[in-house]
């Protein structure tokens, strides 16, 4: 048995020495800290225990280490030097306990009759900071014993870092990081010698930071330490002379507050290194603030913006809501992450998907006529119909009616699944709930999801050395269409400086509640939302007017594009009818070879050429002709199938006033030969005003003056009557 005694004791000693003291800083509460990609502080939130205590920088998220607090290896050189010089000059030489210091402390304390010096090493202080408890001999012995063990386990620098991360710096400021930011507004690595010395002496008497008589004592202590640093050769005379004249910090400073909504949603109690680019974030916040403050006067209170780096898919700027300091309800809401009505912002996805699937070719003519699809009667934003519009043009002009025809052809269910696979996470109802309105803002989406989905289109596209190839052809056509986006009148282009090249899309939700703008370059995707967090609509709030200018401001902040999307080289070449945009048929007089996605070969041939004559179906034709004077109407039978019952041609009408004083108008009537089987679309002075089925009558109250009332049936036959209201 005896021969096992010594090895056994040795083993026990080793275990004791090298097993980390348990529970060191266990349960400490940390502030939530979010840094930019470069490591700049974006913002922080106070810890659950009301302390400003930053998580150690090298602590991995959700560490399972038995040393949960502060194993940070990084400690700034100046602070480390100043701290060692002030607290424990032999720190690098002793094993955690300094017998000479203890003897000296005992001597001093006996001489003066009370405790003037602790003789504690920095290592022992780390243990004390962790354990707490009274200062007495028993605790000191435990601190010494635990300090020896800590030294066996950790390098000296790590022990310094543990001290720096957990020392008190006055008030509710704990740890060097929080102290540097609260007192000097900078990270600890950027502190001067005077500032580092101030923080080195502070944990010894943390209350002395507060204004009052202790301030002079603090200054003296700091300067004495600077003197020692000079003596020891850590600083030169010049540095010393300047350092002693530096003022002490005043009231704690507010911490940086960039990307505040982003910081708010960061994991609590951890230090997060985000992908936000510090300089860009600041510039984007400023751009959003400027535009948003101007719009606030018009009742548009809130604005959000996101920039994604298409190379990495990372968010590089994030404004959850503009001007967080402008008081208003809803300012805390992170609009960028809130589901909002999508307006037209999903249309590019449908165009790309339909191209990919061969549902349409890039220029296929889509109907733009009054239609009623199961009670759903889509209208264009300008309340006009154009008869037939090329698909790319319909996308660029964001026409609603062609988009609905396209969605019906492509399939609601199919598009719904596409949106989900594109990462739209807020489609909470089944596809049938949205129906065809899915493409016109019937669904809600978050700006974060939308911007990421647009960015994903670019990411999928520039994958091969900046070239679009093969299956990405549909995306290239989509970008081409969006590059041609009409510059709508609502956008005052004089307010925008130089306009960089971008593929972009705007969206406006029903009732002017949501304004969207998304822009893409090969390198970046920018998403902007404007409106009211509380949901109130503002007449005239359109994507182009409210969100477009900010999007272009942000675009101008970004590095200039290295080039544009390259024309693809791979795909299938097929002959396309330039008039209809369909595959050319035998009757088409012209055919142009076009590079297309493979599925295009299965699409239908041109339905509009017959015997070499371009002829649209009657209803399309009726709306198409006014916009296309070159269109010659093919021969058709011209029998009158309907006539006005009221009013008669050239009638002068006056409407009786009701008791309320309002004019009641009159009931206008049309007789149609096929009565119940037709739908009639009514237009007053060229503007669509309503439709009738079964009974063709409509109560109207036109303003005083001359008018033309036109009614068109689903065969494109029309009649007009002119009248005057007195
Ligand atoms: Zn044709």
């Amino acid at each position: 048995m005896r021969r096992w005694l010594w090895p056994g004791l040795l083993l026990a000693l080793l275990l004791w020495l090298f097993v980390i003291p348990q529970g060191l800083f266990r349960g400490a509460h940390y502030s939530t800290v979010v840094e930019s990609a470069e490591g700049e502080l974006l913002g922080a939130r106070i810890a659950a225990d009301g302390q400003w205590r930053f998580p150690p920088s090298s602590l991995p998220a959700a560490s399972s280490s038995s040393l949960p607090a502060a194993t940070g290896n990084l400690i700034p050189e100046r602070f480390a030097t100043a701290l060692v010089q002030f607290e424990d000059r032999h720190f690098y030489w002793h094993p955690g306990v300094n017998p000479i210091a203890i003897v000296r402390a005992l001597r001093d304390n006996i001489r003066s009759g009370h405790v003037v010096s602790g003789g504690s090493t920095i290592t022992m202080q780390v243990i004390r900071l962790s354990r707490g408890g009274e200062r007495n001999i028993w605790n000191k012995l435990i601190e010494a014993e635990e300090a020896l063990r800590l030294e066996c386990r950790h390098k000296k620098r790590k022990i310094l870092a543990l001290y720096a991360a957990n020392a008190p710096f006055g008030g509710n400021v704990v740890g060097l990081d929080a102290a540097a930011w609260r007192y000097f507004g900078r990270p600890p690595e950027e502190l001067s010698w005077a500032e580092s010395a101030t923080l080195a002496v502070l944990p010894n008497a943390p209350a002395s930071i507060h204004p009052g008589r202790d301030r002079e004592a603090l200054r003296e202590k700091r300067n004495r330490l600077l003197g020692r640093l000079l003596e020891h050769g850590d600083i030169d005379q010049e540095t010393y002379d300047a350092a002693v004249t530096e003022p002490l910090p005043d009231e704690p400073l507010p911490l940086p507050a960039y990307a505040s909504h982003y910081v708010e949603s960061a994991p609590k109690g951890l230090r997060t290194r985000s992908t936000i680019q510090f300089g860009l974030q600041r510039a984007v916040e400023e751009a959003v603030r400027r535009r948003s403050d101007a719009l606030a006067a018009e009742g548009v209170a809130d604005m959000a913006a996101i920039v994604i780096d298409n190379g990495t898919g990372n968010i590089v700027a994030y404004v959850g809501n503009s001007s967080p300091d402008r008081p208003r309800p809803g300012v805390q809401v992170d609009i960028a992450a809130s589901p909002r009505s999508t307006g037209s912002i999903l249309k590019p996805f449908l165009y790309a998907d339909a191209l990919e699937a061969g549902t349409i070719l890039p220029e296929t003519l889509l109907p733009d006529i009054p239609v009623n699809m199961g009670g759903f009667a889509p209208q264009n934003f300008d309340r006009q119909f154009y008869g037939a519009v090329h698909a790319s043009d319909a996308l660029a002009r964001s026409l609603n009616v062609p988009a609905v025809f396209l969605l019906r052809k492509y399939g609601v269910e199919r598009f719904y699944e596409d949106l989900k696979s594109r990462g739209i996470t807020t489609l909470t109802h089944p596809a049938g709930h949205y129906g065809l309105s899915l493409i016109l803002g019937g669904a809600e989406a978050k700006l974060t999801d939308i911007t990421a989905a647009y960015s994903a289109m670019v990411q999928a596209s520039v994958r091969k050395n900046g070239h679009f190839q093969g299956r990405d052809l549909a995306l290239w056509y989509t970008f081409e269409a969006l590059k041609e986006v009409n510059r709508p009148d609502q956008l005052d282009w004089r307010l925008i400086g130089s306009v960089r090249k971008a593929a972009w899309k705007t969206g406006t939700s029903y009732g002017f509640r949501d304004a969207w703008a998304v822009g893409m370059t090969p390198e970046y995707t920018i998403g902007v939302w404007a409106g009211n967090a509380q949901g109130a609509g503002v007449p005239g709030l359109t994507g182009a007017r409210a969100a477009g200018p900010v999007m272009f401001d942000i675009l101008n902040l970004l590095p200039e594009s290295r080039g544009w999307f390259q024309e693809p080289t791979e795909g299938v070449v097929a002959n396309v009818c330039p008039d209809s945009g369909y595959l050319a048929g035998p009757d088409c007089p012209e055919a142009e070879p076009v590079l297309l996605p493979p599925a295009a070969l299965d699409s239908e041939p041109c339905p509009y050429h017959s015997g070499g004559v371009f002829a649209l179906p009657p209803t399309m034709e009726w709306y198409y002709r006014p916009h296309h004077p070159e269109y010659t109407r093919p021969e058709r039978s011209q029998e009158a199938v309907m006539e006005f019952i009221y009013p008669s041609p050239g009638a002068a009408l006056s409407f009786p006033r009701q008791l309320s004083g309002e004019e009641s108008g009159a009931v206008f009537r049309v007789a149609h030969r096929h009565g119940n089987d037709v739908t009639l679309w009514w237009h007053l002075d060229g503007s669509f005003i309503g439709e009738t089925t079964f009974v063709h009558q409509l109560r109207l109250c036109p303003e005083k003056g001359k008018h033309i009332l036109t009614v068109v049936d689903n065969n494109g036959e029309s009649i007009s009557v002119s009248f005057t209201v007195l």
Side-chain angles (χ1 to χ4, degrees):
M1 275 320 275
R2 274 191 71 146
R3 66 194 178 112
W4 293 108
L5 182 63
W6 288 111
L9 282 175
L10 189 65
L11 185 68
L13 180 70
L14 284 174
L15 278 175
W16 175 77
L17 279 176
F18 285 95
V19 171
I20 306 146
Q22 286 299 304
L24 202 58
F25 301 110
R26 174 160 294 174
H29 294 280
Y30 287 104
S31 300
T32 305
V33 171
V34 180
E35 297 173 341
S36 73
E38 307 87 349
E40 298 279 344
L41 182 63
L42 288 171
R45 297 288 180 269
I46 204 159
D49 60 356
Q51 305 285 303
W52 284 108
R53 177 201 286 256
F54 282 19
S57 34
S58 67
L59 185 69
S63 167
S64 58
S65 158
S66 56
L67 242 192
T71 49
N73 290 317
L74 289 170
I75 179 161
E77 201 54 48
R78 285 177 185 169
F79 177 80
T81 307
L83 178 68
V84 168
Q85 198 57 246
F86 181 75
E87 287 283 353
D88 186 359
R89 259 182 284 180
H90 302 97
F91 175 72
Y92 290 107
W93 306 104
H94 63 62
V97 176
N98 183 350
I100 300 167
I102 290 173
V103 168
R104 196 191 309 127
L106 277 172
R107 188 195 61 199
D108 291 352
N109 292 347
I110 289 164
R111 253 188 218 163
S112 66
H114 60 99
V115 179
V116 293
S117 159
S120 283
T121 62
I122 289 176
T123 322
M124 286 166 69
Q125 292 188 49
V126 169
I127 302 294
R128 194 173 69 233
L129 286 169
S130 167
R131 291 182 73 239
E134 279 181 42
R135 293 198 189 192
N136 54 37
I137 293 290
W138 175 244
N139 275 339
K140 189 137 278 192
L141 282 172
I142 293 177
E143 284 160 22
E145 173 256 356
E146 296 279 283
L148 287 169
R149 294 174 62 194
L150 191 62
E151 292 267 351
C152 287
R153 188 66 186 80
H154 288 310
K155 293 200 171 86
K156 288 285 186 184
R157 299 292 288 189
K158 211 169 207 176
I159 293 168
L160 280 185
L162 276 170
Y163 176 89
N166 295 284
F169 286 87
N172 59 356
V173 180
V174 179
L176 175 65
D177 264 12
W181 280 105
R182 290 289 276 164
Y183 297 130
F184 301 109
R186 269 175 293 136
E189 311 81 66
E190 291 176 18
L191 298 183
S192 69
W193 276 105
E195 290 163 344
S196 300
T198 307
L199 293 185
V201 305
L202 203 49
N204 203 270
S208 61
I209 190 69
H210 299 298
R213 61 190 166 83
D214 285 345
R215 297 273 282 186
E216 267 323 295
L218 177 64
R219 187 190 306 275
E220 266 170 45
K221 258 193 210 175
R222 179 196 75 178
N223 289 354
R224 215 168 332 138
L225 173 55
L226 288 166
R228 265 202 242 168
L229 290 167
L230 173 66
E231 242 171 73
H232 195 250
D234 295 314
I235 58 175
D236 57 23
Q237 187 69 44
E238 202 181 333
T239 309
Y240 170 83
D241 291 344
V244 291
T245 64
E246 274 188 40
L248 291 175
D250 294 318
E251 291 288 302
L253 302 166
L255 291 172
Y258 297 107
S260 57
H261 295 89
Y262 186 92
V263 170
E264 197 61 44
S265 65
K268 297 281 172 279
L270 293 174
R271 182 188 294 263
T272 305
R273 177 67 68 93
S274 72
T275 53
I276 304 269
Q277 291 174 8
F278 191 70
L280 180 67
Q281 174 71 26
R282 281 175 29 160
V284 169
E285 282 187 24
E286 184 48 40
V288 170
R289 169 190 300 275
R290 211 175 54 242
R291 294 287 185 184
S292 176
D293 287 354
L295 278 173
E298 299 177 37
V300 182
D302 304 300
M303 185 181 280
I306 290 178
V307 181
I308 293 180
D309 177 344
N310 295 332
T312 58
N314 289 334
I315 292 176
V316 291
Y318 189 107
V319 180
N321 201 340
S322 58
S323 314
D325 45 358
R326 170 157 36 85
R328 60 197 195 269
V331 60
Q332 330 78 337
V333 178
D334 183 353
I335 303 275
S338 306
R340 306 293 308 198
S341 170
T342 46
S344 293
I345 210 72
L346 303 177
K347 283 175 185 167
F349 303 137
L350 177 61
Y351 181 76
D353 292 344
L355 275 182
E356 188 67 42
T359 310
I360 50 166
L361 309 189
E363 303 294 335
T364 297
L365 271 185
L366 293 170
D368 186 13
I369 53 175
V371 66
N372 191 321
M373 301 180 189
F376 182 57
Q379 291 269 314
N380 288 325
F381 190 79
D382 61 6
R383 307 212 152 239
Q384 294 223 30
F385 296 100
Y386 297 91
V389 182
H390 293 288
S392 69
D393 192 29
L395 175 62
R397 291 160 60 190
S398 202
L399 296 176
N400 290 336
V401 180
V404 170
F405 273 99
L406 180 55
L407 179 58
R408 188 171 67 169
K409 199 170 178 190
Y410 182 75
V412 172
E413 184 83 36
R414 192 178 182 192
F415 183 56
Y416 173 87
E417 292 303 326
D418 290 349
L419 289 176
K420 286 199 158 178
S421 67
R422 284 183 189 277
I424 306 300
T425 55
T426 45
L427 300 173
T428 47
H429 301 282
H433 170 87
Y434 304 108
L436 292 168
S437 79
L438 184 58
I439 197 63
L440 299 186
E444 295 189 323
K446 302 174 188 174
L447 180 65
T448 47
D449 286 350
I450 291 289
T451 314
Y454 271 76
S455 173
M457 290 203 294
V458 186
Q459 289 170 47
S461 308
V462 289
R463 213 170 21 221
K464 294 176 186 169
N465 311 323
H467 292 267
F468 289 79
Q469 289 179 347
R471 67 182 198 82
D472 299 330
L473 196 50
L475 295 173
W476 185 79
Y477 279 118
T478 307
F479 297 139
E480 283 299 292
L482 294 176
K483 195 184 72 186
E484 305 300 333
V485 162
N486 278 19
R487 300 183 166 188
D489 301 337
Q490 304 100 318
L491 213 170
D492 188 347
W493 291 95
R494 288 165 304 178
L495 296 179
I496 295 164
S498 65
V499 175
R500 296 251 181 92
K501 196 174 188 180
W504 64 295
K505 182 81 194 77
T506 61
T508 307
S509 73
Y510 180 76
F512 299 108
R513 283 187 175 80
D514 306 83
W516 301 79
V518 183
M520 296 171 286
T521 68
E523 290 87 6
Y524 293 97
T525 302
I526 304 156
V528 174
W529 177 94
N532 287 310
Q534 307 286 312
V538 178
L541 170 70
T542 63
R545 207 179 72 80
V550 193
M551 197 273 287
F552 280 103
D553 285 352
I554 296 172
L555 186 64
N556 286 335
L557 293 170
L558 295 166
E560 190 116 31
S561 216
R562 291 190 300 273
W564 191 243
F565 301 105
Q566 304 232 5
E567 199 170 348
T569 53
E570 285 177 28
V572 295
V573 177
N575 284 328
V576 172
C577 169
D579 292 326
S580 71
Y582 282 79
L583 288 179
D587 282 354
C588 298
E590 285 178 77
E592 288 175 354
V594 177
L595 191 67
L596 298 169
L601 294 182
D602 300 329
S603 68
E604 339 142 44
C606 175
Y608 302 128
H609 273 116
S610 164
V613 178
F614 184 63
L616 292 170
T619 313
M620 281 166 73
E621 177 184 87
W622 193 82
Y623 289 98
Y624 186 83
R625 279 179 64 205
H627 304 281
H628 297 269
E630 77 286 358
Y631 181 86
T632 39
R633 198 175 184 186
E635 293 295 319
R636 281 203 190 93
S637 63
Q638 297 290 325
E639 302 167 68
V641 290
M642 54 183 161
E643 64 179 327
F644 276 99
I645 300 171
Y646 181 91
S648 50
L653 311 176
S654 63
F655 303 131
R657 284 183 186 275
Q658 290 179 314
L659 285 177
S660 64
E662 283 177 34
E663 286 182 342
S664 56
V667 175
F668 290 65
R669 288 195 178 85
V670 169
H672 194 287
R673 190 188 299 161
H674 305 301
N676 296 358
D677 295 336
V678 295
T679 301
L680 300 188
W681 290 285
W682 298 59
H683 305 74
L684 185 64
D685 304 319
S687 292
F688 178 72
I689 51 171
E691 63 180 79
T692 54
T693 48
F694 305 116
V695 181
H696 301 297
Q697 61 182 46
L698 211 55
R699 178 174 288 279
L700 300 175
C701 187
E703 291 172 358
K704 285 190 168 66
K706 283 185 186 298
H707 297 281
I708 297 177
L709 181 64
T710 306
V711 173
V712 57
D713 73 4
N714 34 3
N715 283 317
E717 299 298 335
S718 69
I719 50 166
S720 292
V721 63
S722 56
F723 59 93
T724 307
V725 176
L726 301 173

